[in-house]
Structure formats: C-alpha cells, structure tokens
C-alpha cells in the first residue's frame, strides 16, 4: 500500500517515532506531541489535531481522541501485547502461567471457559510486562477495548461456586464488573440439530464480480462474528443464555430474559436459530441484522459486496436459496427454482420476513427447550448501512476454510496460537481463527 504523505507530516511522524524511542515507550502524551509539533511550526493545536487524525487514518499512528484524548500510540505494541497475553492465558498450563503474569487458576479458568475477566487481570499482565504506567493505565485499555467493541461490560452479582471449577466469589455480595472477551473462548465441539419449525436464517455478503451475481459465493469478513456478539451484548435487552452455547464460533443469547437465539459462525455465513413463536422472527432478524451491519461498518465492508439473507437449499445441501430484495421470494441454482418463501405452507421460512401472528396460543417447543414465554417481544433497532471492506475472497458452501475478507481492517493482534481481527481504521492484515476444541464450563 502506497501512502502519500506531505513533507511536514512526514517530518512530524519521524519526530514522534524518535521521541518514543528516546523514552523507550510506544506512546506519547498529547503534551509531548504538542511540543514536537511546535518545533515543526505546527503552532495551532487544531493543526496538530488534523495532523494526528491524518496519520491515524493512514494507519501510521493510533489516536482515539473520543476515548483517550491524551494518548497517542506511535506503536500499537502495548495494545497487541495485552490482548495476545489475555488469549495466551487460556492456552498455557497453570504451572507456566507465571511466565505471563501472576494469574490464579480461577482467573485462568474464568477466562478460558466463560470469556470473562476483571480489570485486575489486565493490571497483572501490565505489571509483568511493564505495559502500563501513570499515563497509560489499565482503565485506559478497558475504555479503548470497549470503544472498539472488542470487549463488552458484564455486571454480575455474587457468584456461586461451580462443582467442577473455580468461580470467583464476591464475599461482600456487591455488584462487580467483568468484561467479556469472546476471542478467549474455545470453539464448539458439536451443535444440536436445528428446529424444523423455524428454518435457520443465514446472513452473509454475496460476492459480485464484474456485475455477475454468483449465487454460490457467500462470505463474511474475518472478525465479524465476535464483533457482532459484542454489539448485541451492549444492548440492555440482550444477555447470555447459560443453558446452551458460549463458544468462539457459537453463542446463545437471551432477549428480554425470555427468547433464545443461537448465532453460529459458519465461516461462509452467520447462521441464526430461533426457537420461540414465529411472530417474533422478523424482530429477531432485525436485531441481529443491525448488529452485523454495525460490525460491517467497523470492518469497512466494501459496497461492492451485498449483505444478503439466505436459507440452505432443501434440494442441494451445498447450495443456498438467497432471499431477493422484495423479501418475499428467493433465487437459487436449482431448476426448477426451490421457491422456499413462495411455497412455504408451514411458514417455517416466511416467518423471518413477515408480520406473521401465530393463531394458536403457543408454538411447539423445540428439543432444546427455550425459556418460558411471558410477554410479547419488544425490540428497538438502529440499522445503519454497511460500509466498505476491501479485497475480499469467496468461499463455497462446502468449503472448510474461513472466508478471508481482510485487507481493510481496524488493527492486528498477532500471537503464538491465534490471530484475531482487532479493528483500527484501515490497517491491512489477515485474521485466522483455528478450530481448537476444549471442554467448556457453566458460566453464571
């Protein structure tokens, strides 16, 4: 990638790098940056702000003025170190944890099995690796990760001890704050069969090359799934459902304390399973769609790729029935066309795209026993259009590989065992999630 940089900004960037090296740190404070700017005749703070924003936009520095106005990252190393070490904790044996930080076994299991940690764990990592100081504290890191939707804040009251593991206990029965980091979780071992009463809805980006629609080519950007989960958990009406999945690539969420949705990363698409009354399917679709669109904005998904809904083709397991823009018909490769929406006698497909109201008092529960229904689902949505994402590749439905859609992302986290998409505007890289099976624990 070629970056056109004005001479004065080039000198400014070099001076920032030099000052950071002299101080043996990877960031500078705003006061230090202002002094450097003045030496280069950037006398007005507005000029310095514009210079910092420009260097941030072309990914030379990281500057998040909205959340960390006093910190300019000349090198993202401290951010990457913290996140890579958080994930490393879940893989390292207890006997070797001291090489990373003085972490208790309960903290390690809490992160590994539940994806949860407290700020104190970041402090321990920072002390061991000398990452934080008076200018860049663990609380700053928390603010940044929340701002980037890498973690979600979770408030839990007193925890009950689990028979098989740890579980951190708040002896004073006070509310405490934990943070959910989905990339620390294991992959799922297996999934139960979906309900046949409500067919799983698929969401993905369809690849359109040279104006030709290729029905079989769906893909999602790497990193989209954990971002989507965090966006959903940031809502007041969405929480974990502890009875089903909490994995790197499969998550069960509870809406309004009543309705269960399972969201699964299928590499080529996101799969949504819903187990309650059909009349709520369209609201659930909007809820997840908004979260995916917001995540697509974070990842700069290109306009040349279209976000589409689809179903697995009932005639060909390796193909899709893609929902047309009218939300009332589909297209697929089959001849004759499947027409799953038009010929949907039992409403198992069409319920996702209608204001269907069940005429019976209730709908037969699936084998996974969703929560008891008490009141009508009321959801508020905030849809926003998907934004560009560069240089994508396609993945066929029968492919086991992860659709690698990343040349325009928000940052890079490279670690010995996993590479995770960490989004900072327009940094280029690749994200890969290995399938590593581990036994999970019940997280309450």
């Amino acid at each position: 990638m070629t970056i056109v940089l004005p001479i004065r900004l080039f000198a400014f960037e070099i001076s920032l790098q030099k000052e950071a090296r002299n101080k043996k740190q990877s960031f500078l404070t705003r006061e230090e940056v202002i002094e450097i700017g003045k030496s280069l005749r950037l006398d007005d703070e507005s000029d310095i702000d514009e210079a910092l924003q420009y260097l941030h936009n072309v990914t030379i520095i990281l500057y998040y003025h909205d959340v960390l106005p006093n910190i300019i990252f000349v090198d993202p190393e401290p951010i990457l170190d913290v996140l890579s070490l958080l994930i490393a904790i879940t893989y390292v044996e207890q006997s070797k944890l001291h090489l990373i930080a003085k972490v208790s076994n309960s903290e390690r299991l809490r992160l590994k099995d539940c994806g949860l940690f407290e700020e104190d764990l970041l402090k321990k990592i920072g002390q061991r690796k000398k990452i934080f100081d008076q200018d860049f504290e663990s609380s700053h890191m928390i603010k940044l990760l929340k701002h980037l939707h890498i973690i979600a804040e979770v408030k839990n009251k007193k925890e009950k001890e689990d028979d098989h593991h740890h579980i951190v206990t708040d002896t004073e029965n006070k509310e405490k704050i934990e943070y959910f980091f989905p990339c620390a979780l294991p992959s799922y071992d297996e999934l139960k069969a979906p309900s046949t009463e409500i067919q799983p809805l698929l969401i993905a980006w369809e690849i359109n090359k040279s104006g030709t629609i290729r029905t079989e080519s769906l893909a999602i950007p790497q990193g989209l799934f954990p971002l989507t989960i965090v966006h959903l958990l940031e809502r007041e009406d969405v929480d974990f459902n502890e009875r089903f999945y909490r994995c790197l690539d499969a998550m069960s969420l509870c809406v309004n304390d009543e309705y269960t949705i399972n969201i699964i990363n299928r590499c080529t698409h996101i799969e949504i399973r819903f187990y309650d009354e059909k009349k709520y399917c369209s609201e659930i679709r909007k809820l997840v769609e908004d979260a995916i669109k917001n995540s697509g904005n974070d990842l700069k998904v290109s306009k040349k790729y279209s976000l589409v809904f689809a179903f697995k083709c009932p005639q060909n397991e390796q193909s899709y029935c893609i929902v047309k823009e009218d939300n009332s018909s589909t297209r697929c490769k089959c001849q004759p066309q499947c027409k799953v929406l038009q010929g949907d006698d039992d409403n198992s497909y069409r319920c996702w795209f209608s204001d269907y109201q069940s005429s019976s008092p209730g709908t037969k529960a699936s084998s996974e026993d969703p929560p008891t229904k008490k009141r009508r689902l009321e959801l508020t949505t905030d849809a926003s259009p998907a934004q560009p994402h560069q240089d994508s590749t396609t993945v066929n439905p029968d492919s086991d590989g992860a659709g690698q859609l990343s040349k325009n992302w928000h940052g890079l986290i490279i670690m010995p065992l996993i590479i995770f998409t960490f989004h900072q505007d327009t940094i280029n890289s690749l994200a890969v999630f290995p399938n590593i099976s581990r036994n999970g624990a019940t997280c309450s």
Side-chain angles (χ1 to χ4, degrees):
M1 180 177 67
T2 301
I3 298 175
V4 179
L5 197 65
I7 293 297
R8 182 179 293 189
L9 291 188
F10 179 70
F12 183 50
E13 188 266 332
I14 293 297
S15 298
L16 296 180
Q17 296 280 358
K18 183 178 179 180
E19 181 68 12
R21 283 197 300 269
N22 290 340
K23 292 180 174 294
K24 296 182 179 180
Q25 59 189 29
S26 53
F27 67 90
L28 297 172
T29 64
R30 181 174 174 80
E31 289 75 16
E32 293 169 335
V33 169
I34 289 175
E35 289 302 315
I36 293 172
K38 288 181 178 179
S39 69
L40 297 172
R41 298 182 180 178
L42 292 170
D43 297 324
D44 294 337
E45 288 194 23
S46 60
D47 293 335
I48 293 175
D49 287 337
E50 290 179 4
L52 290 174
Q53 189 60 53
Y54 184 88
L55 293 175
H56 171 90
N57 290 342
V58 297
T59 71
I60 291 177
I61 66 168
L62 304 183
Y63 182 45
Y64 298 96
H65 182 270
D66 291 341
V67 289
L68 298 178
N70 194 47
I71 300 175
I72 293 87
F73 295 99
V74 180
D75 185 332
E77 182 180 355
I79 304 173
L80 309 184
D81 280 350
V82 169
L83 290 173
S84 63
L85 291 171
L86 265 180
I87 291 184
I89 286 172
T90 68
Y91 292 91
V92 174
E93 296 178 0
Q94 180 65 30
S95 61
K96 298 179 180 178
L97 266 182
H98 66 280
L99 298 175
I100 299 176
K102 293 182 178 180
V103 180
S104 68
N105 192 46
S106 63
E107 288 175 308
R108 182 181 73 88
L109 291 174
R110 187 80 171 145
L111 180 62
K112 172 184 174 182
D113 295 335
C114 305
L116 296 173
F117 70 92
E118 296 182 60
E119 184 182 334
D120 188 57
L121 182 58
L122 290 190
K123 292 179 180 179
K124 293 178 180 179
I125 292 174
Q127 291 172 355
R128 177 70 174 81
K129 298 298 181 179
K130 298 181 179 179
I131 294 172
F132 303 122
D133 62 17
Q134 62 181 4
D135 294 315
F136 180 52
E137 301 175 348
S138 58
S139 60
H140 295 144
M141 186 69 178
I142 292 291
K143 285 183 180 179
L144 179 58
L145 296 182
K146 287 175 61 179
H147 173 72
L148 296 173
H149 311 291
I150 300 299
I151 62 174
E153 183 176 309
V154 180
K155 293 182 179 180
N156 291 324
K157 293 187 178 179
K158 183 178 179 180
E159 300 285 356
K160 295 181 180 180
E161 185 170 356
D162 182 63
D163 293 337
H164 302 289
H165 291 288
H166 57 290
I167 299 299
V168 179
T169 302
D170 187 349
T171 56
E172 297 180 359
N173 199 26
K174 292 181 180 179
E175 189 176 68
K176 67 178 181 180
I177 298 177
E178 289 185 302
Y179 301 95
F180 178 61
F181 183 35
C183 291
L185 292 170
S187 295
Y188 63 80
D189 289 323
E190 62 178 338
L191 296 172
K192 294 182 179 180
S195 169
T196 57
E197 294 196 12
I198 299 177
Q199 294 293 334
L201 178 67
L202 315 181
I203 304 180
W205 273 266
E206 185 176 29
I207 308 305
N208 184 354
K209 291 188 175 181
S210 302
T212 302
I213 296 294
R214 300 177 57 195
T215 303
E216 76 279 7
S217 297
L218 296 184
I220 57 173
Q222 291 294 344
L224 181 83
F225 186 78
L227 280 176
T228 299
I229 298 303
V230 170
H231 273 289
L232 286 169
L233 286 171
E234 288 172 345
R235 296 175 56 101
E236 291 294 329
D237 54 356
V238 177
D239 202 351
F240 298 107
N241 187 318
E242 305 298 345
R243 298 171 60 187
F244 303 122
Y245 309 117
R246 193 192 287 208
C247 304
L248 174 66
D249 39 15
M251 193 70 58
S252 296
L253 299 177
C254 189
V255 181
N256 282 343
D257 297 325
E258 298 178 35
Y259 302 93
T260 298
I261 52 175
N262 287 347
I263 306 176
I264 303 163
N265 182 5
R266 295 294 196 177
C267 295
T268 57
H269 57 269
I270 300 294
E271 179 178 321
I272 307 171
R273 298 179 179 180
F274 185 56
Y275 299 96
D276 288 276
E277 293 184 65
K278 292 179 180 178
K279 61 184 179 182
Y280 301 136
C281 286
S282 60
E283 295 301 318
I284 292 296
R285 187 202 79 234
K286 294 173 186 177
L287 176 76
V288 179
E289 179 187 4
D290 289 347
I292 289 178
K293 284 183 175 180
N294 289 334
S295 301
N297 292 344
D298 295 336
L299 294 172
K300 307 297 180 183
V301 179
S302 175
K303 292 181 180 178
K304 66 182 179 180
Y305 306 122
S306 302
L307 184 67
V308 296
F309 300 104
F311 300 98
K312 277 291 184 180
C313 178
Q315 298 184 36
N316 182 357
E317 291 184 356
Q318 304 304 321
S319 186
Y320 301 106
C321 294
I322 294 180
V323 179
K324 295 182 181 180
E325 292 184 2
D326 59 10
N327 287 341
S328 61
S329 59
T330 58
R331 54 182 168 81
C332 65
K333 295 190 299 182
C334 296
Q335 294 298 331
Q337 295 279 304
C338 294
K339 297 183 178 180
V340 294
L341 287 180
Q342 301 95 309
D344 185 17
D345 295 335
D346 62 357
N347 207 40
S348 60
Y349 294 93
R350 197 170 57 246
C351 58
W352 290 105
F353 300 96
S354 68
D355 296 328
Y356 170 80
Q357 297 293 321
S358 176
S359 58
S360 60
T363 304
K364 180 181 177 181
S366 72
S367 59
E368 294 194 26
D369 295 329
T372 303
K373 294 176 279 291
K374 299 178 183 177
R375 64 179 183 273
R376 181 186 176 97
L377 176 65
E378 297 178 354
L379 301 174
T380 58
T381 57
D382 183 19
S384 56
Q387 295 296 318
H389 183 80
Q390 304 291 326
D391 299 335
S392 173
T393 60
T394 67
V395 180
N396 290 332
D398 56 347
S399 169
D400 291 329
Q404 297 171 352
L405 300 179
S406 59
K407 269 222 172 174
N408 192 337
W409 62 306
H410 283 7
L412 174 66
I413 298 171
I414 300 178
M415 56 213 72
L417 296 172
I418 189 168
I419 300 175
F420 166 66
T421 299
F422 168 74
H423 55 287
Q424 184 275 325
D425 295 338
T426 68
I427 292 180
N428 297 326
S429 191
L430 174 68
V432 178
F433 290 104
N435 263 339
I436 298 176
S437 297
R438 297 179 294 185
N439 292 325
T442 300
C443 305
S444 57

